[in-house]
Amino acid sequence: LIGFRGSHPLAELATFWLKYLKQNVTFLPSGWMTFAEDAIDMAPGDTVFAIGLRRRASAFRSLLQNAHEQGAAILLLTDLSASLSARYADVVVRCHNRSTTIYDSLASAISMINFLRGALALRQGEEVRGRLERIEALADRLDTIGAPPPPRHAKA
């Protein structure tokens, strides 16, 4: 997954959701590498889910171009203004993001990400159910999703 600027939190959300459904889901750049180290491994058979709403960084288009040249399939979630970055995508999903406020609306983009993850889960069927069960079992063993500790009360 790729996302910059205002699209960055959307790509992080998509990464979080998709890791439940698929293995080897990566968010570019990873926290400890630069783009080159992460993008070099793109290959035919990979799918790049790129989220690029208004005010896309120039690195965004360069990463899409690299993915295209490496033979990866590209799904671009964008707004109505995308043109240069859209030419590298195999599938372009456009969302309206204008709002009556000074900020763009992310509602349609989040809804589309949610729809796409649901469609992917349905397509994978029992494979997803088994993965989710293994994730839950490991989370229980690691005690990472336990109940929060009781609140500490300040002493008077």
Side-chain angles (χ1 to χ4, degrees), residues 48 50 58-76 82-92 94:
V48 173
S58 60
F60 182 77
R61 187 171 52 246
S62 297
L63 283 166
L64 293 184
Q65 181 179 3
N66 176 71
H68 177 77
E69 290 168 356
Q70 298 298 330
I74 301 170
L75 167 61
L76 174 61
S83 59
L84 296 176
S85 54
R87 71 175 144 177
Y88 296 112
D90 297 288
V91 176
V92 178
R94 296 186 189 271

Side-chain angles (χ1 to χ4, degrees), residues 41-109:
D41 294 325
M42 292 180 190
D46 289 344
T47 300
V48 173
F49 184 4
I51 303 173
L53 301 177
R54 280 186 343 107
R55 301 186 72 196
R56 290 166 287 281
S58 60
F60 182 77
R61 187 171 52 246
S62 297
L63 283 166
L64 293 184
Q65 181 179 3
N66 176 71
H68 177 77
E69 290 168 356
Q70 298 298 330
I74 301 170
L75 167 61
L76 174 61
L77 179 65
T78 190
D79 57 43
L80 303 177
S81 71
S83 59
L84 296 176
S85 54
R87 71 175 144 177
Y88 296 112
D90 297 288
V91 176
V92 178
V93 177
R94 296 186 189 271
C95 297
H96 288 273
N97 65 335
R98 294 295 183 167
S99 87
T100 57
T101 71
I102 62 170
Y103 300 108
D104 289 339
S105 172
L106 303 178
S108 62

Side-chain angles (χ1 to χ4, degrees), residues 6-144:
S7 301
H8 181 90
L10 296 174
E12 272 192 315
L13 176 64
T15 301
F16 173 78
W17 283 344
L18 293 176
K19 279 188 171 284
Y20 282 98
L21 305 177
K22 301 283 289 177
Q23 61 184 4
N24 300 322
V25 173
T26 305
F27 180 66
L28 267 71
S30 61
W32 54 279
M33 301 297 271
T34 64
F35 298 115
E37 290 88 351
D38 288 321
I40 195 67
D41 294 325
M42 292 180 190
D46 289 344
T47 300
V48 173
F49 184 4
I51 303 173
L53 301 177
R54 280 186 343 107
R55 301 186 72 196
R56 290 166 287 281
S58 60
F60 182 77
R61 187 171 52 246
S62 297
L63 283 166
L64 293 184
Q65 181 179 3
N66 176 71
H68 177 77
E69 290 168 356
Q70 298 298 330
I74 301 170
L75 167 61
L76 174 61
L77 179 65
T78 190
D79 57 43
L80 303 177
S81 71
S83 59
L84 296 176
S85 54
R87 71 175 144 177
Y88 296 112
D90 297 288
V91 176
V92 178
V93 177
R94 296 186 189 271
C95 297
H96 288 273
N97 65 335
R98 294 295 183 167
S99 87
T100 57
T101 71
I102 62 170
Y103 300 108
D104 289 339
S105 172
L106 303 178
S108 62
I110 291 171
S111 293
M112 185 52 65
I113 294 166
N114 188 48
F115 171 78
L116 291 170
R117 82 168 167 154
L120 179 61
L122 287 174
R123 184 169 187 225
Q124 289 184 264
E126 288 302 312
E127 181 182 333
V128 167
R129 189 176 314 278
R131 179 173 173 80
L132 292 174
E133 289 171 359
R134 291 190 309 278
I135 289 170
E136 289 299 318
L138 182 58
D140 286 345
R141 196 169 93 214
L142 297 174
D143 194 28
T144 58

